Amino acid sequence: MNKKYNLTLMIPLSMILIAMDQLSKWIIVKTMSIGDSFSVIGEFLEITSHRNYGAAWGMLQNQMVLFYIITLLVLIMIVYFYKQDAAHKPVMQLGLTFVFAGAVGNFIDRLFRGSVVDFIDTKIINYDFPIFNIADSCLTIGVIILLYEILVNENKEKKNADISI
């Protein structure tokens, strides 16, 4: 029987993800000037020091108060969904943990730096993808996990419930 909430795994995981995000950003801030770049894997992957004063892809530039409010609301909603909907659902708990860590990581930047430190620069088939960071990756991974949980696992639960009726 699985636990209702697996906090002994999810809390340390979120702390590790946030620490990785903040450490990587600290290294970028301390060792690179804005705009500096170096190749990791040819043109496919570069580390480029960049600051984002907006949201994803630079939308809503310099709207920090709005981002503070939205982030706090999102964090409250994540905790609510964790408590209300994720009981006995370890995949949903994992997805929410990743989203939580990503939101906290970028919130720390906005709060203490006034911008988000981005540095992972990829080019995929001639498309120069927007520069991002570990917190952004956590948000993306978390959303993918949640979509999987909602679209695949919950459909299985509904089918199993229909069979047992």
Side-chain angles (χ1 to χ4, degrees), residues 34 51-55 59-64 67 114-116:
I34 295 173
R51 302 302 177 273
N52 185 348
Y53 296 90
M59 295 184 295
L60 300 170
Q61 292 285 312
N62 299 311
Q63 301 294 318
M64 287 302 151
F67 293 130
S115 64
V116 174

Side-chain angles (χ1 to χ4, degrees), residues 2-18:
N2 64 350
K3 291 189 213 178
K4 185 174 183 177
Y5 300 105
N6 198 347
L7 296 176
T8 56
L9 175 62
M10 300 306 165
I11 290 173
L13 176 60
S14 67
M15 292 171 63
I16 289 167
L17 293 170
I18 293 165

Side-chain angles (χ1 to χ4, degrees), residues 35-73:
D36 286 353
S37 186
F38 65 88
S39 175
V40 177
I41 304 173
E43 289 186 13
F44 174 72
L45 177 63
E46 296 178 345
I47 301 298
T48 301
S49 180
H50 177 74
R51 302 302 177 273
N52 185 348
Y53 296 90
W57 295 284
M59 295 184 295
L60 300 170
Q61 292 285 312
N62 299 311
Q63 301 294 318
M64 287 302 151
V65 173
L66 176 65
F67 293 130
Y68 298 151
I69 294 167
I70 289 172
T71 303
L72 291 174
L73 290 173

Side-chain angles (χ1 to χ4, degrees), residues 18-33 49 51 105 108-109 112-113 116-119 133-134:
I18 293 165
M20 287 172 46
D21 175 65
Q22 290 300 302
L23 177 61
S24 64
K25 292 172 179 176
W26 180 82
I27 290 168
I28 296 300
V29 168
K30 293 297 180 187
T31 62
M32 298 176 74
S33 297
S49 180
R51 302 302 177 273
I108 291 169
D109 277 15
F112 293 105
R113 291 191 177 100
V116 174
V117 177
D118 289 330
F119 59 92
N133 59 45
I134 292 174

